[in-house]
Amino acid sequence: KIGTPNGISSLDEISLGGLKQWIFIRAEDQNNPILLFLHGGPGEPMGGIPSSRINDAELIKYFTMVHWDQRGAGKSYNSKIPTNSMSHDRLVEDCKELIDYLQNRFGAQKVFLVAHSGGTPIGLKTAYTYPEKIHAYVGVAQIVN
């Protein structure tokens, strides 16, 4: 539980790319810079939303942490998701739509983007395609070819 006056801890269902997807947001001060975390996989949220409370304990002091269960993963899983929508390019566009949503919701100009393993191709292409939306990109276990 966040006990600060301007803190936030919310689990929200939003629409990205025409599909309902879930984000988990935590911060001691929601005016802090946004740090969007892209999980690996594909389809494998890093420890899931419950463990993010432990992993983010220090980060939420300095950032508004956003964990996104990408289409087809975690709480965003739905057996009716069209197979043809499960593409790398669609995930990049979902990520861009999420960044737009966060910018509007929190009044931020840019976000920090951190991606892990299978999330790194999505993060890298998002940062490359939309650099005006990104403060910095950090790849953890970056996938390269």
Side-chain angles (χ1 to χ4, degrees):
K1 181 165 175 127
I2 305 292
T4 56
N6 200 31
I8 184 172
S9 180
S10 70
L11 179 61
D12 302 319
E13 182 183 61
I14 63 172
S15 179
L16 302 171
L19 290 178
K20 293 182 179 184
Q21 299 182 44
W22 288 85
I23 56 174
F24 183 48
I25 305 171
R26 294 185 75 230
E28 289 186 4
D29 182 350
Q30 59 188 304
N31 291 323
N32 283 341
I34 296 168
L35 193 158
L36 172 57
F37 181 80
L38 305 181
H39 66 73
E44 185 178 2
M46 189 170 146
I49 287 172
S51 69
S52 65
R53 287 190 294 269
I54 296 166
N55 297 330
D56 294 350
E58 285 298 311
L59 290 171
I60 65 169
K61 295 177 183 177
Y62 308 100
F63 294 97
T64 298
M65 290 294 305
V66 179
H67 289 266
W68 165 40
D69 280 4
Q70 301 156 16
R71 72 174 50 218
K75 285 186 69 63
S76 297
Y77 174 78
N78 178 335
S79 63
K80 296 179 180 157
I81 295 173
T83 304
N84 63 352
S85 79
M86 294 299 296
S87 71
H88 183 260
D89 288 339
R90 181 64 255 174
L91 288 166
V92 170
E93 289 308 306
D94 285 354
C95 187
K96 185 259 187 199
E97 287 181 32
L98 175 55
I99 292 169
D100 290 344
Y101 169 85
L102 296 170
Q103 288 173 316
N104 289 332
R105 180 172 176 177
F106 294 101
Q109 289 186 338
K110 296 184 177 191
V111 302
F112 289 90
L113 190 57
V114 177
H116 176 255
S117 189
T120 62
I122 299 162
L124 196 58
K125 188 166 183 184
T126 300
Y128 178 79
T129 307
Y130 304 105
E132 71 281 1
K133 297 180 174 297
I134 310 297
H135 275 301
Y137 167 76
V138 177
V140 180
Q142 178 71 51
I143 294 176
V144 294
N145 181 343

